[in-house]
Amino acid sequence: EVCRTTASRTMKAITTAAEGEDGYKKPPWKFVGRALYQLNLVRVEDAYQFVPRDLPIVNFFGYTIGGLYLARYDQSPAGKMDEMVVLAGLVWDPPVSCAWASHVFVNKQSARDHGVESCGLPSRIASFGAQIKGSGRVLKKKLPWWTHKAGERFMPEVEDVGVHIHSEEDTRAHICSLSLPTVPAGKASAVPLQIALPSFSGRTKIRPQLLKYALDLKAKVRIVKPAKIEPGSAHGLEEGNRAHALKRILSGRPVLAMSFENMEMEVGDPAPVQVKCKSNKKPAIAPPAMSEEVLVAI
């Protein structure tokens, strides 16, 4: 057994070196890249398919705020990496609120393992594929944001860029397809923003306690048109009510979509916390401030 464990650790070390990763050493963990953060209206009952029932959800007349976070990191503890986080809703933690991640998809094994074992996140391995649709008109020397190189414009003018996400751990379940927004040249200047965002995780088999960790982010933020999201079958990923809820979360009415350019994000080590407000005590209907909306990342 000792030999097997040692061999496993050796293989992980070899894989880490081969991928050019720094590894998840002492926190905080740093991520550099770009992201799309889209907020959708989500029914509270759909959110509770994934949020523990004893946690109070911020309730706007039967709806909460969920959506997704799609990122491409040029640098991370796992090296270059893609990530998509499905946000089921906002959990009330007076005086702030935190987004709850129902699903986390990454394309690096070390990131998946760290998310599950250290952060208490529902992380899965997934594949990300991009395809340019429409007439294929692309400005010269500029590429779609999903495939552009560091230093190039975040979202040049293109007709349509589709990103398809498949979960490789669940019989290659098709999670969704997204038609990403674009920003015509010279329009909608990005605004520098630096915020501190606490995040919830945990309540999993491996990390059963409720966890909370610090997340500090700075980026140039740009308001963009919402991405068009087509939920997939997700066959093998979720079943029954949870499968229907996942589709409705992804296809909910968009409230706000933002691009994060030149993003630098630091994530702290999760620590156990106690629930301050029980779900049977409904919180007042009051939308959280911008600084209280939470990005969730590994």
Side-chain angles (χ1 to χ4, degrees), residues 15-36:
T15 301
T16 298
E19 292 179 344
E21 307 168 6
D22 292 330
Y24 289 89
K25 299 177 182 179
K26 186 177 179 180
W29 301 294
K30 188 174 181 179
F31 300 80
V32 177
R34 50 208 181 276
L36 171 71

Side-chain angles (χ1 to χ4, degrees), residues 69-149:
Y69 166 80
L70 178 69
R72 169 155 280 192
Y73 303 117
D74 298 314
Q75 300 174 34
S76 83
K80 292 185 177 180
M81 181 180 74
D82 300 330
E83 177 182 42
M84 187 183 84
V85 180
V86 181
L87 306 171
L90 287 176
V91 174
W92 188 243
D93 183 35
V96 300
S97 57
C98 300
W100 187 270
S102 65
H103 301 79
V104 177
F105 301 101
V106 292
N107 59 356
K108 286 294 183 70
Q109 187 66 45
S110 60
R112 180 267 178 199
D113 294 343
H114 177 77
V116 170
E117 298 169 9
S118 299
C119 297
L121 289 168
S123 302
R124 288 179 168 90
I125 288 290
S127 59
F128 295 71
Q131 179 182 4
I132 300 177
K133 302 177 183 178
S135 66
R137 179 169 57 89
V138 182
L139 298 180
K140 290 184 178 180
K141 297 183 180 180
K142 293 180 180 179
L143 299 171
W145 83 274
W146 192 249
T147 56
H148 90 310
K149 297 179 181 179

Side-chain angles (χ1 to χ4, degrees), residues 18-222:
E19 292 179 344
E21 307 168 6
D22 292 330
Y24 289 89
K25 299 177 182 179
K26 186 177 179 180
W29 301 294
K30 188 174 181 179
F31 300 80
V32 177
R34 50 208 181 276
L36 171 71
Y37 187 40
Q38 181 160 317
L39 303 176
N40 296 343
L41 285 177
V42 175
R43 296 193 316 176
V44 169
E45 279 306 307
D46 286 335
Y48 268 130
Q49 291 294 324
F50 305 101
V51 178
R53 287 278 174 178
D54 65 313
L55 299 182
I57 289 179
V58 177
N59 192 331
F60 302 86
F61 303 100
Y63 286 85
T64 187
I65 300 296
L68 65 82
Y69 166 80
L70 178 69
R72 169 155 280 192
Y73 303 117
D74 298 314
Q75 300 174 34
S76 83
K80 292 185 177 180
M81 181 180 74
D82 300 330
E83 177 182 42
M84 187 183 84
V85 180
V86 181
L87 306 171
L90 287 176
V91 174
W92 188 243
D93 183 35
V96 300
S97 57
C98 300
W100 187 270
S102 65
H103 301 79
V104 177
F105 301 101
V106 292
N107 59 356
K108 286 294 183 70
Q109 187 66 45
S110 60
R112 180 267 178 199
D113 294 343
H114 177 77
V116 170
E117 298 169 9
S118 299
C119 297
L121 289 168
S123 302
R124 288 179 168 90
I125 288 290
S127 59
F128 295 71
Q131 179 182 4
I132 300 177
K133 302 177 183 178
S135 66
R137 179 169 57 89
V138 182
L139 298 180
K140 290 184 178 180
K141 297 183 180 180
K142 293 180 180 179
L143 299 171
W145 83 274
W146 192 249
T147 56
H148 90 310
K149 297 179 181 179
E152 292 179 330
R153 184 177 173 79
F154 181 73
M155 289 182 183
E157 188 177 10
V158 298
E159 292 257 329
D160 193 5
V161 180
V163 177
H164 312 279
I165 296 94
H166 297 265
S167 174
E168 296 183 351
E169 294 182 50
D170 305 278
T171 62
R172 292 192 62 81
H174 179 208
I175 309 307
C176 67
S177 297
L178 305 94
S179 293
L180 299 179
T182 61
V183 177
K187 299 286 183 69
S189 299
V191 178
L193 180 67
Q194 184 170 353
I195 46 180
L197 304 168
S199 300
F200 274 148
S201 63
R203 293 297 181 85
T204 64
K205 290 182 180 180
I206 295 179
R207 298 298 303 270
Q209 291 180 294
L210 180 65
L211 305 174
K212 192 173 184 179
Y213 55 90
L215 192 157
D216 297 315
L217 179 148
K218 62 179 180 179
K220 290 186 177 180
V221 180
R222 188 191 306 273

